[in-house]
Structures are given as C-alpha cells and as structure tokens.
Amino acid sequence: MNSGIPGAGLPALRDHNAALVLDLLRVATVADGGAGISRQELATRTGLTPQAVSKIVARLAGQGLVAEAGRGASTGGKPRTLLRLVRQARYAVGLHLDRDELTVVLVDLAGEAVTERVTPFDLGAGPGAVLEAVAERVREVTSDVPGAERVLLGAGAAAPGPLDHAAGVLGRVTGFPGWDGFALADALAGRLGLPVTLDKDTNAAALRVPADGPRPASFAYLHVGSGLGAGLVLDGALYRGPRTGAGEFGHQTLEPDGPRCACGRRGCLEALCLAALADGDTARAARLLAVGAANLAALLDIDRVVLGGRAVTPAFRDEVAAALAREAAPGTVRVARECAGARTIAEGAAWLVLAPLFGRRRFGFWRRFLAAVPDDGF
Amino acid sequence: MNSGIPGAGLPALRDHNAALVLDLLRVATVADGGAGISRQELATRTGLTPQAVSKIVARLAGQGLVAEAGRGASTGGKPRTLLRLVRQARYAVGLHLDRDELTVVLVDLAGEAVTERVTPFDLGAGPGAVLEAVAERVREVTSDVPGAERVLLGAGAAAPGPLDHAAGVLGRVTGFPGWDGFALADALAGRLGLPVTLDKDTNAAALRVPADGPRPASFAYLHVGSGLGAGLVLDGALYRGPRTGAGEFGHQTLEPDGPRCACGRRGCLEALCLAALADGDTARAARLLAVGAANLAALLDIDRVVLGGRAVTPAFRDEVAAALAREAAPGTVRVARECAGARTIAEGAAWLVLAPLFGRRRFGFWRRFLAAVPDDGF
DNA sequence: GCACTTTGGCAACAGCGTTGTTTTAGTGGG
DNA sequence: CCCACTAAAACAACGCTGTTGCCAAAGTGC
C-alpha cells in the first residue's frame, strides 16, 4: 500500500480554497468587534485573485454561510463591502464526558458556544445510562435550533484517554475498566442520529485553548487532572500519532530508578507529580511538571505551553511558569498567562466537527516546503 | 498575519498529482527488480482516472523524466505498458560536513547514490578552506554529469546542529564556535552556483534511514555521536518545529538533580549517556538511551526507532533494543534491525533537494482528515 | 463638476481532471 | 485460421476551476 495520499481534482481544489476563505471569514467574525473582512483582503490573504474570491464568496453565500455586513471606510475609491460568517447557518455539539461531570455545549458556525449544560454524571453507570443521559442533554441543547436536521453538522465527544480516535473506541479509562473497548462514537452516532467524532479530552482542549496572543503553529496543552496528559499541536494541526495515542506526557520516566508506575515503567512524571500534589507540595509538583515540559519543549522546539485541568489554579500556573523559566534554556518556552477553563474541552470537542470546514487538511499540496520522507512501502 | 496557507490554482493541482505519480514511479524504479509500474496501477493507487494518469505521464515523459520500460503480462487483454523513472534525467548533490570528515555524494533522480567521495576534513579550518574543499569535491563528483547545469537540481548540506534550516545559518557547533551564525547555505550556493538547502545531520539521516520493512509514517532516528540528537518524522514528513530546532533528544532531563549539563539544564540524557559510553559501560548507556527513547515514543505514539552514528555498533544496537523492550510498554516500540550507515546522512542531504519533486507538501488539501487548529492570529 | 482611485461584476479564456468512445493488442474457444 | 472477448490506452468533447481583460459602480479630492 502506498502512502495513501490521494490525487486531487477540481472539487478538492474548490474545497481547499473555500475552506481558506471560510476560515478567514470566521476569524473576522469572531475577532474583536467582528467587523468582517472585504473581498479584497481575502484575496491578498489567500493569494487568490479578487475575481476568484468573488466567485468563492458567491458560492458560499448561495449556501447561506456568508453574508454582507456593511461597508468599510473608503481608501480613496469605492469602499470595501465587508463580509461575515452567518453564525446561525450551522451548529455543532460538543461533549465532555468527564468521570463525574457531563458538559454539553452547542457551538455556532463561528466556533463560539451558544448554549451550555453542565450536569453531574457517573461514568461508571455503564453504557445504557450514560448514552441516555448524553442524549437527553443533547436534546435539551439542540431543541431551540430551527431546522436542526439540516444545520447540525455533528457532535464531537471528548473523553479521558487513552482511546482510539480513528475507530472511535474507548480504551482503559482509569477507574472505569468497564468501558475498555467500547465503541462510543458509533453508539453515540446511533443514539443521536448525528455523525460523532471521538477524541481524548487533552486533544479537544488543545483545539480550543485560549493561549494569550496569536495561537502559535506548534504548542502543547498540558492537562493536570486525575492524570497527566498532553495535547500536541504541531505545524498547525493536532498530532495524534500512528495509533492516535500521542500525548502520553505523564508517562515519561524522570527517575530511571524511581518507583514503579501503574503503566509498568519506573519513575513516571505522572506518579511523581500527582504524589507531590497529594502531599500539598505544589512547589515540587510544579518543578517536576516544568522539567517534563522543558523536555517536551526541547524535543519538539515548542515555545509555548498552556496549562489546564482541575489541579491547575492560577497560583499553580505561576509556580510552573517560574519553575519552567529555571528549567528550560532561557527564552525558549513560556507558559501562557491564561489557563484552560472548564468549558474549553467541550468547546474543543465541538471543534472536532467544525475543523474540516475551515480545514487545513491532512496531506498534499503545500507540503512541498517541508522535506517529505521517501515512501518505500508497498 | 494569517496561517499563511496559500490558495491553490490549477498549476498547484497539476504539480500535486504529478508529484504523486512521480513518487510511485520512483518506488517502482528502485524497488526490487525495478520492473516499473503501469498507468493502470498508477490510476488505482492515486485514485485518479486512467485518462488523467495518461495525460500526466505524457507531460512527465515530455520533460524526459519518465520512459516506457517494457510491458507486463496480459491479464486477458492488452498487456500493461510499464513505466519507469529516467534516473539520469536529474541529479542532486548531498553533502555531509562532519567535524573531521567530508562526504559528498551524487544522487540520481530515483534517489540512489551514483558517486561518492569521502575525504578527511577539518571543520575548524574556517569558512574559506572549508568552502574551497567542498567546492572541489563537488566538482569531482559532478564532472561526469553531461549537461550538469541543466540536470543538477541543487545541493543539500547536512551539518551538526543546532542550526537554522529556514535561513540556512549554522548555530553553535560544539567545539567549533567560529561557525556560529555563519550563513552556510548562501555561501555554498554562491560558491557552487546551485540552490543549497541546509539541515541538521539528524534530519538528513531521518530522510534516508533504512528502517527494516515499509517506512512508517512516524518514527524517530536517534543519533549517537559526539552528541545525542534525533530526527523526527511525523505523519510522513520531517518535523522541524517553529524555529527548526526540533530533535534535541539529548537534552531531556532524566535526573532532575543530576549534574549540570553544558546546555544549562541538569541531568541531561546526553551527558549521562555519553559519560557511560566513555566509561565503557555500554549496558548503562543503552539503558539510558532506551529510557529516553521510551519517553519519546510514549509522547509521540511512535512505534519504531532507528539508531545511527559512530557510537552505534550492531552490538550496541542490540543492547538498546533489549533495554527498550524492558523500558517501554510491551509491544509499543521496537528498534529497527539495521542501523544507519556512514553514507546515510549524505544521501539524506541530497534528499533535501529531491523531496519537493516527489512532494508531499506543507499545507493544504488533504489535511481535512486531521483536526485543524483554529487560527485566531492576525 | 470633473479627474482620479478602488471595488467588484461580467465575459471570454486556458488548463485541469472526467466522461464517453474508439483504437490497439493481447487471450482463448471453435 | 477466425472471431468473440477482454483490458489498456489514446482521442475527443466536456464541465468546472481560477485567470485575464474590460467595464460599471461608488466613493474622494481639487
């Protein structure tokens, strides 16, 4: 079998450019003020000709995704017509299935939450009860959407890892062994009547973290909760790895002769760090986390780290930032000022559904600037 | 500034498909026997229609890159016409500037070495002498190529890191501080009259390592020489990171309270491992390397590791493999049976030049299957 | 009020892969 | 030997993409 990169035709070309335009429109709709963006600016930003942009915008407007939104100031000639995304044109559902809490959000086309439901929850109650609870919450959240069957794109579900994103199957959720091997994506899709994408909570969060400043092309989201995990964004897209298991940040050995971890290895960062937190020794926990983060940053040349999870208070975040400044080479990495909030994961889950629309895509086209690896496999 | 993913037109579409076809032809030309590949098979492998493939092949043949090479057996109808790359149609030069040795190879369009020159070398001799030596070797290696100015695509240069791949500028080469900040790519390009791409030796090796079996989409090349570095191949392309500094595998802290390393951090894998090697304690070195590799594999979900570098003998490779089997979760990672040879880096350097021809590219098109990260930066 | 600038639509166009059809080159039964 | 059949590959027409050239619309500024 070959690399599997498919050949492309005119439809792929059209979709590619439409996605670029849609993403620029989304940013212009969401960013401060949401003034919109003109065709001219879309043209310069994409490198397409103004005429091509006009055609693309006309197509998108025909689908109801884009609308005119006033005009800009003149710069000596005809003033620019501003365009915006029609936020109500599509919606996506985001689910965060935590161990004891279920968060369900409805997100509009621009990627912002419209409705939110947070309810207590027992992941140990078994598939039947869990599916029922989720379906009920989703029904509540989507009941106000007119023409839901037409505008609801699907649902994204975030769950504790490890899990198989491609197959939509859960793995060994610590403390809840009954879910191992359960095909949650298919089960939810059947129950909700929607396409469902499943991913790790850390990956969902990485899609939505409020890093301060423009979001870098590569960064790491570090989650400190009942475990220690990471969501890796590399070159502008989530990196999941061959078995969609990437991000096992907590199970790096920091003390080769340390205590045995539940994962089988020794001196795992997760075990050491969580033990320190349990002891109330946040300084030690922060330092351990900083060492792990510095290792990751050095390996991946990452210059930004975002923290999140229940254990991460602003104070702890500051401790980690200070420790990281000591552990890493000066000026190479910094911790984002904001940390991920409670809703981040659920909103990120919805982004699993929206992302293809605004899609930087998996293969092809512009990778010419990277060195591709010769693919000698058959 | 936006993500910078450019819009695509018909030429980009054409180049994308041509690159896919060229890559399949390259594999068929190089793989055992080099029998070639038919238009039909190209069509099924790319997903393009046979007619599209015929047109693409005709274009490529017009440029002299492809030629017919016999016919296959009939399967009941007209037998398939086999096609092969014309290996002499283009060439690339690969340079490995090591501390005490210069390797120069000439590589044909199929990516295989045609000529090789290994000469003693003193990286400390300064730019003038080094450029002169390189230019002379390149002249020797390319003198037999007819119409060199037409068929020589360029030169790739591999040097010890860290360095700035994008700018083509060297960094602090341990032991040779005089090169810090030297714009080697530009200097070489001027001297050779060829486009020059500069990259770390580890990255070059990763482009060309003889991993046993089909090359996986994601793997790590670990280099053990005068330092400890890694070349990361993620999702089928080299991962270099925002500042093209990724792969600092040796500077992960394995002992938070260990000895201070030259890099400023404590208990670095590189310092510990090289010290063990210097002591002749290969078992300890192998175990440390295995711990680092297991950390990397867990974080990136990588299932294959390739070893190379002067310190890596087959025996040491086996020691690391055994240690890794103990350190990592069972069945998750293995060490390739072969380790990278002496020519690997120089050939990989030439691949820096060839890769765009067969190019999976940086952005666009098929990334829709990955979750793109919302790009809110302006 | 007129010259000038900029936006953006209209129309013709070139180039891409696709579709429908025909030609070419084999196989195999009678 | 002939003829029906099959598969590969070229030929021709086509639809759709972004591009180019041109012009109308809508402002600014002297």
Side-chain angles (χ1 to χ4, degrees):
Chain A
M1 204 195 63
N2 186 35
S3 58
I5 301 178
L10 265 3
L13 185 68
R14 166 171 40 72
D15 290 350
H16 169 78
N17 290 332
L20 291 182
V21 168
L22 267 180
D23 194 45
L24 289 168
L25 283 161
R26 184 191 61 77
V27 173
T29 306
V30 170
D32 33 18
I37 187 172
S38 68
R39 291 175 177 82
Q40 294 297 320
E41 202 171 347
L42 288 171
T44 54
R45 294 273 268 270
T46 56
L48 296 168
T49 60
Q51 189 54 29
V53 170
S54 280
K55 286 188 182 179
I56 291 166
V57 166
R59 274 200 304 264
L60 294 173
Q63 299 170 55
L65 302 178
V66 174
E68 301 198 343
R71 32 189 49 191
S74 165
T75 57
K78 176 173 175 176
R80 304 181 164 188
T81 310
L82 296 176
L83 303 165
R84 270 207 294 262
L85 231 50
V86 179
R87 304 173 77 126
Q88 306 80 25
R90 299 285 187 281
Y91 293 93
V93 172
L95 308 169
H96 178 203
L97 289 80
D98 207 349
R99 288 172 171 78
D100 56 1
E101 197 175 72
L102 172 66
T103 308
V104 179
V105 294
L106 182 71
V107 154
D108 65 22
L109 180 59
E112 306 264 292
V114 174
T115 320
E116 182 190 17
R117 284 276 186 294
V118 186
T119 46
F121 182 67
D122 180 14
L123 193 57
V130 162
L131 288 176
E132 179 55 37
V134 170
E136 178 55 29
R137 273 334 130 251
V138 171
R139 220 173 294 132
E140 290 172 15
V141 152
T142 57
S143 59
D144 295 339
V145 177
E149 64 289 343
R150 238 178 3 87
V151 299
L152 254 184
L153 292 170
L163 52 77
D164 184 335
H165 160 74
V169 173
L170 290 174
R172 293 171 294 98
V173 182
T174 313
F176 300 87
W179 287 100
D180 193 1
F182 185 76
L184 183 59
D186 286 347
L188 272 176
R191 191 69 178 235
L192 302 176
L194 289 171
V196 173
T197 306
L198 175 68
D199 210 340
K200 298 206 284 190
D201 45 12
T202 48
N203 284 346
L207 282 177
R208 188 59 183 167
V209 285
D212 40 357
R215 196 176 271 106
S218 299
F219 69 91
Y221 167 75
L222 303 184
H223 188 86
V224 189
S226 49
L228 218 70
L232 302 176
V233 173
L234 306 179
D235 286 340
L238 260 178
Y239 174 75
R240 294 191 177 97
R243 294 159 298 195
T244 73
E248 284 300 335
F249 172 67
H251 295 291
Q252 60 176 293
T253 294
L254 270 197
E255 293 180 2
D257 302 308
R260 182 75 64 181
C261 171
C263 75
R265 302 184 61 194
R266 282 185 176 282
C268 281
L269 172 59
E270 176 173 301
L272 300 173
C273 185
L274 294 185
L277 277 179
D279 293 348
D281 189 351
T282 58
R284 177 169 154 76
R287 192 196 161 201
L288 287 164
L289 199 56
V291 169
N295 285 354
L296 178 154
L299 183 67
L300 299 176
D301 190 32
I302 272 177
D303 56 0
R304 186 88 57 91
V305 160
V306 186
L307 295 176
R310 286 187 201 178
V312 179
T313 60
F316 184 62
R317 191 261 332 275
D318 290 341
E319 282 190 286
V320 175
L324 188 57
R326 287 189 301 269
E327 293 296 334
T332 54
V333 217
R334 64 186 188 81
V335 175
R337 273 194 306 278
E338 308 169 54
C339 32
R343 256 187 5 201
T344 306
I345 296 178
E347 290 183 11
W351 258 101
L352 291 168
V353 176
L354 290 178
L357 271 180
F358 305 114
R360 342 265 187 295
R361 294 172 190 173
R362 179 70 183 72
F363 296 121
F365 265 60
W366 300 113
R367 295 188 93 179
R368 84 152 67 199
F369 304 115
L370 250 178
V373 175
D375 177 14
D376 293 341
F378 272 75
Chain B
M1 205 194 61
N2 185 36
S3 57
I5 300 178
L10 266 3
L13 184 69
R14 167 172 40 74
D15 291 349
H16 169 78
N17 289 332
L20 292 182
V21 169
L22 267 181
D23 194 45
L24 289 169
L25 283 162
R26 184 190 60 77
V27 173
T29 306
V30 169
D32 32 20
I37 187 172
S38 69
R39 292 175 177 82
Q40 292 297 321
E41 202 171 347
L42 289 170
T44 54
R45 295 271 269 271
T46 57
L48 296 168
T49 60
Q51 188 54 30
V53 171
S54 280
K55 286 189 181 179
I56 291 166
V57 166
R59 274 200 304 265
L60 295 174
Q63 299 170 54
L65 301 178
V66 174
E68 302 199 342
R71 30 191 51 190
S74 166
T75 57
K78 175 173 176 176
R80 304 180 165 190
T81 310
L82 297 176
L83 304 164
R84 269 207 294 262
L85 230 50
V86 179
R87 303 173 78 128
Q88 306 80 24
R90 299 286 188 280
Y91 293 92
V93 172
L95 309 169
H96 177 202
L97 290 79
D98 207 348
R99 288 172 172 79
D100 55 1
E101 198 175 71
L102 171 65
T103 307
V104 179
V105 294
L106 181 71
V107 153
D108 66 22
L109 179 59
E112 306 264 292
V114 174
T115 321
E116 182 190 17
R117 283 277 186 294
V118 186
T119 46
F121 182 69
D122 179 14
L123 193 57
V130 162
L131 288 176
E132 179 55 37
V134 170
E136 177 55 30
R137 274 334 129 252
V138 171
R139 221 174 293 132
E140 290 172 15
V141 152
T142 57
S143 58
D144 295 339
V145 178
E149 64 290 342
R150 239 179 359 89
V151 298
L152 255 183
L153 292 170
L163 52 77
D164 184 334
H165 160 75
V169 173
L170 290 173
R172 292 171 293 99
V173 182
T174 313
F176 301 87
W179 287 99
D180 192 2
F182 185 77
L184 183 60
D186 285 347
L188 273 175
R191 191 69 177 234
L192 302 177
L194 289 172
V196 173
T197 306
L198 175 68
D199 209 342
K200 299 206 283 190
D201 44 13
T202 49
N203 285 347
L207 281 178
R208 187 63 181 166
V209 284
D212 39 357
R215 196 175 273 106
S218 299
F219 69 91
Y221 167 74
L222 303 184
H223 188 86
V224 189
S226 49
L228 218 69
L232 302 176
V233 173
L234 305 179
D235 287 339
L238 261 178
Y239 174 76
R240 294 194 176 94
R243 294 158 299 194
T244 73
E248 284 300 335
F249 172 68
H251 294 289
Q252 59 177 294
T253 294
L254 271 197
E255 293 181 2
D257 302 308
R260 181 74 65 181
C261 172
C263 75
R265 302 185 60 195
R266 282 186 176 281
C268 281
L269 172 58
E270 176 173 301
L272 300 174
C273 185
L274 294 185
L277 276 180
D279 293 348
D281 188 351
T282 57
R284 178 169 153 75
R287 192 197 162 200
L288 287 164
L289 199 55
V291 168
N295 286 353
L296 179 154
L299 183 67
L300 298 176
D301 189 33
I302 272 177
D303 56 0
R304 186 88 56 91
V305 161
V306 185
L307 295 177
R310 286 186 202 179
V312 180
T313 60
F316 184 62
R317 190 261 331 276
D318 290 341
E319 283 190 285
V320 175
L324 187 57
R326 288 191 300 270
E327 292 297 333
T332 54
V333 216
R334 64 185 186 82
V335 176
R337 274 193 305 277
E338 308 170 54
C339 32
R343 258 190 1 205
T344 307
I345 295 178
E347 290 184 12
W351 258 101
L352 291 168
V353 176
L354 290 179
L357 271 181
F358 305 114
R360 342 265 187 296
R361 296 174 189 171
R362 179 69 184 71
F363 296 121
F365 266 59
W366 300 111
R367 294 188 93 179
R368 82 152 68 199
F369 304 115
L370 250 180
V373 175
D375 177 15
D376 293 343
F378 274 74

